Amino acid sequence: MQHHHTALMSPTIGTQRYLESFHFGSPELGKKIYIQASLHADEIPGMLVAWKLKQQLTQLEATGRLKGEVVLVPVANPIGQNQHLMDVHLGRYHLETGQNFNRDYLDTFTDVKARIEPQLSDDPAHNCRIIRAAMCESLQQWQPKTELGSLQKTLQLLSCDADVMLDLHCDFEAALHVYSTYYSWPGIEPLARLLGSQANLLANETGGAPFDCSVDMVWQRLKECFGEAIPQGCLAATVELRGQADVTHQESNQDSSAILRYLEWLGVIAVDGPAPCLPEEVAPSSDLGAVEMLATPCAGILVHRVKPGDWITAGDVFADVIDPISDHVEYVTAAQSGYVYSRNGRRIATAGMLIGNIAGSAVIRSGYLLAP
Ligand SMILES: [Zn+2]
């Protein structure tokens, strides 16, 4: 295992942060897997899973069972790890700029397309090599102007040549669920089965340029441009490991084991005998546009009537929002039936606040599909 420290741009005089990455195996042996955790810095379940993976990968490497490379970043956002205000950890947005830490990653598509066009051949393996090199060159030429930009560049450089990239997050209060693209989904579905994902939300165009789409969507668009000579270069997913408070040994043991089984399925971990069987059960996948994001039109005490894992019928109440001064009770109802996969962890609502998510079946949203 190699431990790399990558210095980020110094944001203030006398201050320096590093991005720490742990590299197991070797790229010459097979596929490259990139796994990062806690890009939203106050989402800790993935960090615990990454730490357990670190112990397990160290053993697997020592016993010669790694047949590829795994790059692990357990603390993907050291900037957000230092955002505490009045005893509250604020890890979703960059305090200085308000930017969501999982938005605005560099889209290398146009630059990569121009770089590779003169060199493309009919050989997918050759094309794979030149596309990865072009992505790397494109990112190397990016000149970030802020510490946050230098963090984004570092994460993208570590992951841009990965065959599989997993971004471990969590929601406020949630059942385990997975976001991926239609492009990546066939290769991510086995992971969703192994994790016991309860909802799988898919979109190729989410808007907002989140981290998980920064590589696979470049491959998808190159394939649209140049056809079958462009191989499937990357599978990507954001795994939402339940809610923020779900930092437990039991669940993190399950999740790290599931990820290791997936690496066996991918052939990155050698197994004695046949490849592992996948669980038969798989939760239905929904278009991300079929997710109803429920918001309250007014402020008040938030009393949820459903919890993650419940099914809700169209017209049923998701939550009451009670104004104890005016006595007004607002009932926030579901527009369509579906699976409740997450809800807000706060119990006092502000006007316009998102209070929960339901995976439905009919597409009801378009354009920008992500939460703020
Ligand atoms: Zn997150």
Side-chain angles (χ1 to χ4, degrees):
M1 186 261 287
Q2 291 181 25
H3 179 182
H4 296 184
H5 317 260
T6 307
L8 304 183
M9 181 187 290
S10 169
T12 57
I13 294 166
T15 307
Q16 178 76 69
R17 272 185 272 261
Y18 295 85
L19 195 281
E20 312 281 345
S21 55
F22 299 87
H23 301 245
F24 301 87
S26 161
E28 286 80 46
L29 294 172
K31 290 187 168 82
K32 172 175 172 177
I33 314 298
Y34 175 84
I35 302 171
Q36 71 174 27
S38 305
L39 182 59
H40 289 137
D42 52 356
E43 299 175 2
I44 306 306
M47 194 185 292
L48 181 59
V49 168
W51 175 71
K52 293 191 174 178
L53 287 172
K54 189 158 154 249
Q55 318 303 311
Q56 291 153 334
L57 289 166
T58 300
Q59 280 201 341
L60 288 163
E61 185 179 52
T63 52
R65 288 181 59 201
L66 273 188
K67 304 299 174 194
E69 182 186 25
V70 182
V71 176
L72 192 63
V73 178
V75 184
N77 183 357
I79 302 170
Q81 284 309 330
N82 198 32
Q83 291 190 165
H84 297 85
L85 193 63
M86 299 180 192
D87 205 27
V88 178
H89 187 187
L90 300 168
R92 184 173 178 84
Y93 305 96
H94 184 223
L95 273 185
E96 188 180 350
T97 61
Q99 184 179 327
N100 185 321
F101 283 114
N102 192 19
R103 300 289 182 270
D104 299 328
Y105 284 80
L106 186 71
D107 181 358
T108 60
F109 169 70
T110 305
D111 189 39
V112 168
K113 180 171 176 277
R115 285 170 188 269
I116 63 162
E117 204 155 5
Q119 310 170 55
L120 281 173
S121 76
D122 295 334
D123 176 9
H126 163 84
N127 294 339
C128 188
R129 281 192 299 276
I130 63 170
I131 290 167
R132 286 184 175 154
M135 277 190 202
C136 184
E137 286 162 19
S138 185
L139 288 163
Q140 290 284 12
Q141 292 198 350
W142 178 16
Q143 300 287 331
K145 295 183 175 60
T146 63
E147 184 191 32
L148 174 53
S150 74
L151 172 65
Q152 293 182 304
K153 177 178 174 177
T154 302
L155 297 175
Q156 285 193 259
L157 274 171
L158 282 167
S159 59
C160 70
D161 57 350
D163 294 280
V164 179
M165 52 192 272
L166 303 179
D167 194 10
L168 308 182
H169 287 244
C170 69
D171 210 306
F172 298 113
E173 295 175 357
L176 196 153
H177 58 284
V178 170
Y179 294 106
S180 188
T181 60
Y182 284 102
Y183 174 80
S184 286
W185 180 238
I188 293 295
E189 196 221 45
L191 173 68
R193 285 178 193 248
L194 289 159
L195 285 164
S197 172
Q198 299 296 297
N200 303 303
L201 297 317
L202 309 181
N204 279 351
E205 300 293 335
T206 61
F211 175 79
D212 64 349
C213 298
S214 65
V215 181
D216 73 338
M217 282 299 92
V218 176
W219 285 97
Q220 187 259 352
R221 284 180 284 166
L222 290 173
K223 188 165 188 172
E224 274 183 0
C225 286
F226 300 115
E228 292 303 313
I230 307 296
Q232 174 107 32
C234 179
L235 306 172
T238 291
V239 180
E240 301 278 345
L241 296 170
R242 307 175 194 83
Q244 281 178 307
D246 297 322
V247 181
T248 70
H249 283 302
Q250 186 196 341
E251 287 160 322
S252 57
N253 287 344
Q254 282 172 29
D255 299 338
S256 59
S257 292
I259 291 171
L260 291 178
R261 296 293 84 72
Y262 181 56
L263 299 191
E264 291 176 359
W265 183 82
L266 289 166
V268 175
I269 296 173
V271 283
D272 296 328
C277 292
L278 296 174
E280 280 185 21
E281 263 185 55
V282 61
S285 56
S286 297
D287 191 286
L288 189 55
V291 167
E292 183 179 8
M293 292 175 145
L294 288 161
T296 168
C298 58
I301 304 163
L302 178 61
V303 187
H304 289 296
R305 293 209 188 208
V306 291
K307 59 185 185 307
D310 287 349
W311 285 87
I312 193 167
T313 304
D316 280 359
V317 177
F318 190 100
D320 302 359
V321 182
I322 301 165
D323 180 344
I325 310 294
S326 71
D327 302 324
H328 175 74
V329 180
E330 182 76 24
Y331 299 104
V332 182
T333 58
Q336 62 170 319
S337 301
Y339 179 78
V340 177
Y341 66 86
S342 70
R343 67 182 191 183
N344 202 309
R346 287 154 65 182
R347 296 297 181 262
I348 188 82
T350 53
M353 190 175 98
L354 290 177
I355 62 169
N357 289 308
I358 301 168
S361 48
V363 172
I364 52 172
R365 298 186 302 135
S366 60
Y368 189 93
L369 295 175
L370 305 174

